[in-house]
Tab-separated table of all heavy atoms in Angstrom:
chain	number	residue	atom	x	y	z
E	23	LYS	N	118.828	103.765	126.263
E	23	LYS	CA	118.228	102.837	127.215
E	23	LYS	C	117.831	101.583	126.450
E	23	LYS	O	117.353	101.660	125.319
E	23	LYS	CB	116.981	103.460	127.857
E	23	LYS	CG	117.264	104.517	128.873
E	23	LYS	CD	115.946	104.946	129.521
E	23	LYS	CE	116.181	105.944	130.596
E	23	LYS	NZ	114.929	106.400	131.214
E	24	LEU	N	118.013	100.444	127.068
E	24	LEU	CA	117.676	99.169	126.423
E	24	LEU	C	116.199	99.130	126.050
E	24	LEU	O	115.828	98.600	124.995
E	24	LEU	CB	118.032	97.999	127.343
E	24	LEU	CG	117.735	96.605	126.819
E	24	LEU	CD1	118.551	96.333	125.552
E	24	LEU	CD2	118.011	95.544	127.857
E	25	SER	N	115.353	99.749	126.842
E	25	SER	CA	113.914	99.725	126.561
E	25	SER	C	113.548	100.584	125.342
E	25	SER	O	112.474	100.420	124.775
E	25	SER	CB	113.133	100.207	127.785
E	25	SER	OG	113.524	101.530	128.121
E	26	GLU	N	114.443	101.505	124.905
E	26	GLU	CA	114.174	102.345	123.740
E	26	GLU	C	114.549	101.658	122.427
E	26	GLU	O	114.118	102.081	121.358
E	26	GLU	CB	114.950	103.667	123.840
E	26	GLU	CG	114.460	104.570	124.939
E	26	GLU	CD	115.294	105.837	125.048
E	26	GLU	OE1	116.181	106.052	124.176
E	26	GLU	OE2	115.072	106.601	125.985
E	27	LEU	N	115.373	100.624	122.486
E	27	LEU	CA	115.803	99.934	121.260
E	27	LEU	C	114.712	98.990	120.763
E	27	LEU	O	113.967	98.410	121.555
E	27	LEU	CB	117.101	99.167	121.517
E	27	LEU	CG	118.320	100.017	121.888
E	27	LEU	CD1	119.526	99.134	122.129
E	27	LEU	CD2	118.617	101.040	120.814
E	28	LYS	N	114.631	98.855	119.454
E	28	LYS	CA	113.621	97.995	118.839
E	28	LYS	C	114.300	96.851	118.108
E	28	LYS	O	115.416	97.001	117.603
E	28	LYS	CB	112.797	98.780	117.819
E	28	LYS	CG	111.938	99.862	118.373
E	28	LYS	CD	111.287	100.604	117.237
E	28	LYS	CE	109.880	100.990	117.566
E	28	LYS	NZ	109.163	101.527	116.430
E	29	ASN	N	113.596	95.738	118.002
E	29	ASN	CA	114.106	94.604	117.224
E	29	ASN	C	113.921	94.870	115.740
E	29	ASN	O	112.891	95.379	115.310
E	29	ASN	CB	113.372	93.307	117.598
E	29	ASN	CG	113.781	92.795	118.962
E	29	ASN	OD1	114.899	93.033	119.407
E	29	ASN	ND2	112.879	92.107	119.629
E	30	LEU	N	114.910	94.503	114.953
E	30	LEU	CA	114.839	94.663	113.510
E	30	LEU	C	114.293	93.374	112.904
E	30	LEU	O	114.697	92.277	113.289
E	30	LEU	CB	116.235	94.971	112.948
E	30	LEU	CG	116.305	95.538	111.555
E	30	LEU	CD1	115.573	96.862	111.476
E	30	LEU	CD2	117.742	95.734	111.133
E	31	VAL	N	113.360	93.504	111.961
E	31	VAL	CA	112.750	92.356	111.293
E	31	VAL	C	113.130	92.418	109.814
E	31	VAL	O	112.943	93.437	109.161
E	31	VAL	CB	111.216	92.374	111.457
E	31	VAL	CG1	110.578	91.229	110.695
E	31	VAL	CG2	110.847	92.315	112.921
E	32	ILE	N	113.709	91.336	109.310
E	32	ILE	CA	114.095	91.262	107.908
E	32	ILE	C	113.448	90.032	107.300
E	32	ILE	O	113.634	88.914	107.781
E	32	ILE	CB	115.631	91.183	107.752
E	32	ILE	CG1	116.282	92.440	108.345
E	32	ILE	CG2	116.006	91.017	106.284
E	32	ILE	CD1	117.783	92.408	108.358
E	33	LYS	N	112.703	90.231	106.267
E	33	LYS	CA	112.010	89.151	105.549
E	33	LYS	C	111.143	88.342	106.503
E	33	LYS	O	111.186	87.124	106.523
E	33	LYS	CB	113.026	88.274	104.828
E	33	LYS	CG	112.532	87.709	103.534
E	33	LYS	CD	113.653	87.046	102.773
E	33	LYS	CE	113.125	86.528	101.477
E	33	LYS	NZ	114.143	85.849	100.706
E	34	THR	N	110.374	89.034	107.304
E	34	THR	CA	109.446	88.511	108.312
E	34	THR	C	110.136	87.725	109.437
E	34	THR	O	109.470	87.073	110.212
E	34	THR	CB	108.348	87.620	107.689
E	34	THR	OG1	108.926	86.411	107.208
E	34	THR	CG2	107.607	88.331	106.572
E	35	LYS	N	111.446	87.804	109.528
E	35	LYS	CA	112.181	87.078	110.579
E	35	LYS	C	112.801	88.079	111.540
E	35	LYS	O	113.416	89.058	111.131
E	35	LYS	CB	113.305	86.226	109.969
E	35	LYS	CG	112.845	85.259	108.904
E	35	LYS	CD	112.168	84.065	109.507
E	35	LYS	CE	111.923	83.016	108.460
E	35	LYS	NZ	110.587	82.925	107.998
E	36	ASN	N	112.686	87.800	112.835
E	36	ASN	CA	113.337	88.615	113.845
E	36	ASN	C	114.802	88.202	113.879
E	36	ASN	O	115.136	87.069	114.211
E	36	ASN	CB	112.674	88.389	115.206
E	36	ASN	CG	113.200	89.331	116.253
E	36	ASN	OD1	114.176	90.034	116.046
E	36	ASN	ND2	112.548	89.325	117.406
E	37	VAL	N	115.705	89.112	113.534
E	37	VAL	CA	117.124	88.761	113.396
E	37	VAL	C	117.948	89.122	114.633
E	37	VAL	O	119.167	89.101	114.580
E	37	VAL	CB	117.719	89.424	112.137
E	37	VAL	CG1	117.157	88.812	110.886
E	37	VAL	CG2	117.501	90.919	112.144
E	38	SER	N	117.300	89.438	115.747
E	38	SER	CA	117.960	89.750	117.016
E	38	SER	C	118.954	90.890	116.904
E	38	SER	O	120.024	90.857	117.495
E	38	SER	CB	118.662	88.499	117.579
E	38	SER	OG	117.722	87.489	117.827
E	39	ILE	N	118.607	91.879	116.111
E	39	ILE	CA	119.405	93.087	116.018
E	39	ILE	C	118.588	94.190	116.660
E	39	ILE	O	117.444	94.419	116.285
E	39	ILE	CB	119.730	93.441	114.545
E	39	ILE	CG1	120.583	92.361	113.922
E	39	ILE	CG2	120.407	94.794	114.445
E	39	ILE	CD1	120.859	92.574	112.442
E	40	LYS	N	119.176	94.854	117.660
E	40	LYS	CA	118.477	95.933	118.358
E	40	LYS	C	118.999	97.257	117.821
E	40	LYS	O	120.211	97.487	117.785
E	40	LYS	CB	118.714	95.834	119.856
E	40	LYS	CG	118.079	94.618	120.488
E	40	LYS	CD	117.225	95.071	121.605
E	40	LYS	CE	116.584	93.889	122.289
E	40	LYS	NZ	115.171	94.072	122.355
E	41	VAL	N	118.053	98.105	117.371
E	41	VAL	CA	118.427	99.394	116.791
E	41	VAL	C	117.623	100.510	117.440
E	41	VAL	O	116.540	100.287	117.979
E	41	VAL	CB	118.209	99.413	115.257
E	41	VAL	CG1	119.160	98.467	114.553
E	41	VAL	CG2	116.785	99.099	114.898
E	42	CYS	N	118.153	101.738	117.337
E	42	CYS	CA	117.474	102.900	117.890
E	42	CYS	C	116.329	103.315	116.961
E	42	CYS	O	116.184	102.796	115.854
E	42	CYS	CB	118.474	104.051	118.058
E	42	CYS	SG	119.195	104.635	116.515
E	43	GLN	N	115.557	104.296	117.411
E	43	GLN	CA	114.412	104.761	116.625
E	43	GLN	C	114.869	105.350	115.290
E	43	GLN	O	114.211	105.197	114.269
E	43	GLN	CB	113.630	105.799	117.434
E	43	GLN	CG	112.389	106.315	116.753
E	43	GLN	CD	111.344	105.235	116.529
E	43	GLN	OE1	111.158	104.355	117.363
E	43	GLN	NE2	110.667	105.297	115.402
E	44	THR	N	116.023	106.004	115.246
E	44	THR	CA	116.527	106.603	114.017
E	44	THR	C	116.941	105.532	113.002
E	44	THR	O	116.711	105.679	111.801
E	44	THR	CB	117.747	107.501	114.333
E	44	THR	OG1	117.378	108.429	115.331
E	44	THR	CG2	118.207	108.239	113.094
E	45	CYS	N	117.557	104.469	113.463
E	45	CYS	CA	118.054	103.410	112.566
E	45	CYS	C	116.984	102.378	112.213
E	45	CYS	O	117.154	101.621	111.274
E	45	CYS	CB	119.243	102.697	113.203
E	45	CYS	SG	120.679	103.747	113.433
E	46	TRP	N	115.902	102.338	112.970
E	46	TRP	CA	114.878	101.324	112.732
E	46	TRP	C	114.128	101.604	111.434
E	46	TRP	O	113.864	102.740	111.067
E	46	TRP	CB	113.879	101.296	113.885
E	46	TRP	CG	112.855	100.216	113.739
E	46	TRP	CD1	113.000	98.919	114.085
E	46	TRP	CD2	111.546	100.356	113.190
E	46	TRP	NE1	111.854	98.230	113.800
E	46	TRP	CE2	110.935	99.089	113.231
E	46	TRP	CE3	110.826	101.402	112.665
E	46	TRP	CZ2	109.652	98.838	112.787
E	46	TRP	CZ3	109.543	101.170	112.209
E	46	TRP	CH2	108.968	99.894	112.265
E	47	GLU	N	113.802	100.569	110.708
E	47	GLU	CA	113.003	100.668	109.489
E	47	GLU	C	112.067	99.469	109.430
E	47	GLU	O	112.410	98.379	109.892
E	47	GLU	CB	113.896	100.705	108.257
E	47	GLU	CG	114.815	99.517	108.145
E	47	GLU	CD	115.889	99.702	107.078
E	47	GLU	OE1	116.205	100.833	106.724
E	47	GLU	OE2	116.392	98.675	106.609
E	48	PRO	N	110.880	99.666	108.884
E	48	PRO	CA	109.955	98.533	108.790
E	48	PRO	C	110.462	97.505	107.788
E	48	PRO	O	111.303	97.807	106.937
E	48	PRO	CB	108.651	99.182	108.317
E	48	PRO	CG	109.058	100.448	107.677
E	48	PRO	CD	110.315	100.895	108.338
E	49	ASP	N	109.948	96.305	107.904
E	49	ASP	CA	110.327	95.243	106.979
E	49	ASP	C	109.910	95.626	105.560
E	49	ASP	O	108.799	96.110	105.345
E	49	ASP	CB	109.646	93.930	107.401
E	49	ASP	CG	110.216	92.728	106.675
E	49	ASP	OD1	111.301	92.837	106.097
E	49	ASP	OD2	109.548	91.675	106.697
Side-chain angles (χ1 to χ4, degrees):
K23 286 185 177 179
L24 180 62
S25 60
E26 292 177 6
L27 297 179
K28 294 175 142 189
N29 287 332
L30 197 61
V31 177
I32 299 175
K33 213 171 181 181
T34 69
K35 305 284 189 257
N36 187 350
V37 291
S38 299
I39 296 175
K40 293 234 181 233
V41 293
C42 63
Q43 182 64 37
T44 306
C45 295
W46 184 83
E47 57 192 23
D49 192 16

